[in-house]
Amino acid sequence: MRPASNKSGPVVLLSGGVGGAKLADGLYRTLAPESLTVIGNVGDDIERHGLWVSPDVDILTYTLAGMVDAEKGWGFADETFHALAILRRLGEETWFNLGDRDLATHILRTRLRREGVRPTGIAARIAAGLEVRCTVLPATDDTVQTHVQTEKGWLHFQEYLVRDRAEAAPLDVRCEGADEARPTPEVLSALAGASAILLAPSNPVASIGPMLAVPGFRDAMLRSGAPRIAVCPIVGGRSLKGPSDRMLKAKGLTADPMGVADWYGDLLDGMVVDEADAQFEGMLKERGLEVLVTGTVMQKARDRDGLAEATLAFARTCSASPKA
Ligand code: FO1
């Protein structure tokens, strides 16, 4: 086993929405707040009713604040939808369910954006207002939009996932705007100083992919010197949530830990895989990855804490590979 990293900086988690937020929640309870930085995907961002919505950053923030709707995994708990009901009566398309409380976040975000505040500053303000004490960063201040190709053509990610319920097979996924986007100074600094970089069990293609597609992001991970560990979002050949399995296949990869390892390529030093996928341990190790086999399905708060603790302990035994 390679020697452990001796960096003392924060643990950095790259995360999409619901699935990744569960691991973020476990890490938040396990680590001191100043020892955790969560970088959220912005590829799912969407404008609805003139308001800018940043679902993954909000899901992370609401979860860390202990205010998320636990059943849905998005939006606030005890939410009402009166404003949306009126918008519907006024003839608006209301397939994206924005709750009354949630709208407050989007009203503030939209005003601050109009005033020229960077998304990084907006995320910090919302996190501070909801008393989240760790750092929550959007992956970029630029606009990156994940689009999914189906037989109907190219759709915005939320149109595909929420409006059309991901019914059609995804044929391809692309991140519009990524080529012109840049990681923020805050993201570059967090990656450079990280003691470990964890890739949440989020959609590798549609949630982590938009971050990796931003020029400079991948290099910053490789240069960091911190071990880079992915928690596999595929268990027993299926996504824990959402269309990760079908999106890996759309990219010509297998829906299993090997396909996830292929997608991340030289970025990874280690992978955490579920006990149901223990048979992949040998093949992953042959590819030079450290492997932890443990329970990765997070149904209860104690599952989140258990996976967070196990992943952190595993990360301490790994170090960035020489290819970095
Ligand atoms: N997911 C749904 O399945 N249906 C919705 O109507 C919906 C609304 C919504 C509003 C705000 C928000 O922050 C998230 C919302 N989500 C909804 C979740 C979101 O579509 C996805 O889960 C993430 O973008 C993927 O991580």
Side-chain angles (χ1 to χ4, degrees):
M1 205 171 264
R2 293 187 289 257
S5 159
N6 57 9
K7 286 171 99 177
S8 59
V11 170
V12 173
L13 177 74
L14 311 187
S15 180
V18 181
K22 292 181 183 174
L23 182 59
D25 189 41
L27 291 167
Y28 189 52
R29 272 193 298 272
T30 305
L31 293 164
E34 63 276 12
S35 299
L36 177 63
T37 295
V38 181
I39 300 180
N41 170 42
V42 297
D44 296 10
D45 286 17
I46 188 165
E47 192 178 290
R48 298 297 302 157
H49 317 295
L51 300 174
W52 193 257
V53 186
S54 194
D56 287 359
V57 173
D58 289 346
I59 289 168
L60 287 162
T61 306
Y62 298 175
T63 302
L64 294 169
M67 297 174 81
V68 80
D69 181 308
E71 201 176 313
K72 293 204 291 275
W74 51 267
F76 282 115
D78 302 321
E79 186 58 287
T80 53
F81 293 86
H82 300 301
L84 206 71
I86 298 294
L87 283 166
R88 193 174 306 128
R89 285 184 64 174
L90 297 178
E92 292 293 285
E93 275 190 27
T94 54
W95 51 265
F96 200 64
N97 290 290
L98 296 174
D100 298 325
R101 294 167 195 226
D102 197 20
L103 280 167
T105 303
H106 315 315
I107 290 168
L108 176 69
R109 173 181 291 118
T110 305
R111 176 173 69 75
L112 293 175
R113 282 173 71 98
R114 205 181 310 127
E115 288 171 4
V117 180
R118 293 193 294 138
T120 298
I122 300 171
R125 164 128 183 225
I126 295 167
L130 299 183
E131 293 171 30
V132 172
R133 289 171 304 127
C134 70
T135 303
V136 179
L137 298 173
T140 175
D141 283 334
D142 300 311
T143 303
V144 176
Q145 297 271 274
T146 304
H147 284 229
V148 183
Q149 188 185 29
T150 72
E151 57 192 8
K152 287 190 194 169
W154 286 96
L155 303 170
H156 185 284
F157 182 79
Q158 300 293 356
E159 291 173 333
Y160 173 72
L161 185 78
V162 176
R163 189 192 64 193
D164 298 352
R165 299 191 168 82
E167 276 162 5
L171 303 174
D172 200 2
V173 178
R174 72 177 181 217
C175 305
E176 294 204 347
D179 288 348
E180 293 77 43
R182 293 292 171 266
T184 62
E186 291 82 356
V187 160
L188 292 175
S189 162
L191 292 172
S195 56
I197 300 172
L198 308 180
L199 286 71
S202 300
N203 188 321
V205 178
S207 297
I208 308 295
M211 304 189 203
L212 305 181
V214 173
F217 197 102
R218 231 187 148 92
D219 283 350
M221 289 176 72
L222 288 167
R223 273 199 316 270
S224 157
R228 300 171 296 266
I229 314 290
V231 179
C232 186
I234 306 284
V235 174
R238 302 191 57 178
S239 316
L240 283 171
K241 191 169 190 314
S244 305
D245 46 3
R246 294 190 293 158
M247 289 190 173
L248 283 167
K249 288 181 188 163
K251 291 290 182 187
L253 302 171
T254 51
D256 59 26
M258 300 308 292
V260 175
D262 286 337
W263 176 253
Y264 289 132
D266 64 354
L267 271 186
L268 291 190
D269 299 301
M271 194 185 283
V272 180
V273 300
D274 193 77
E275 283 146 357
D277 289 321
Q279 73 271 23
F280 291 100
E281 183 176 3
M283 279 182 274
L284 291 166
K285 282 186 167 166
E286 270 171 31
R287 294 184 42 162
L289 295 181
E290 306 283 355
V291 182
L292 172 69
V293 179
T294 188
T296 62
V297 182
M298 294 175 280
Q299 271 155 355
K300 303 235 158 68
R302 67 166 179 272
D303 303 328
R304 301 177 183 191
D305 298 355
L307 182 58
E309 285 161 19
T311 303
L312 290 171
F314 173 59
R316 282 193 282 272
T317 70
C318 301
S319 66
S321 58
K323 66 191 169 235

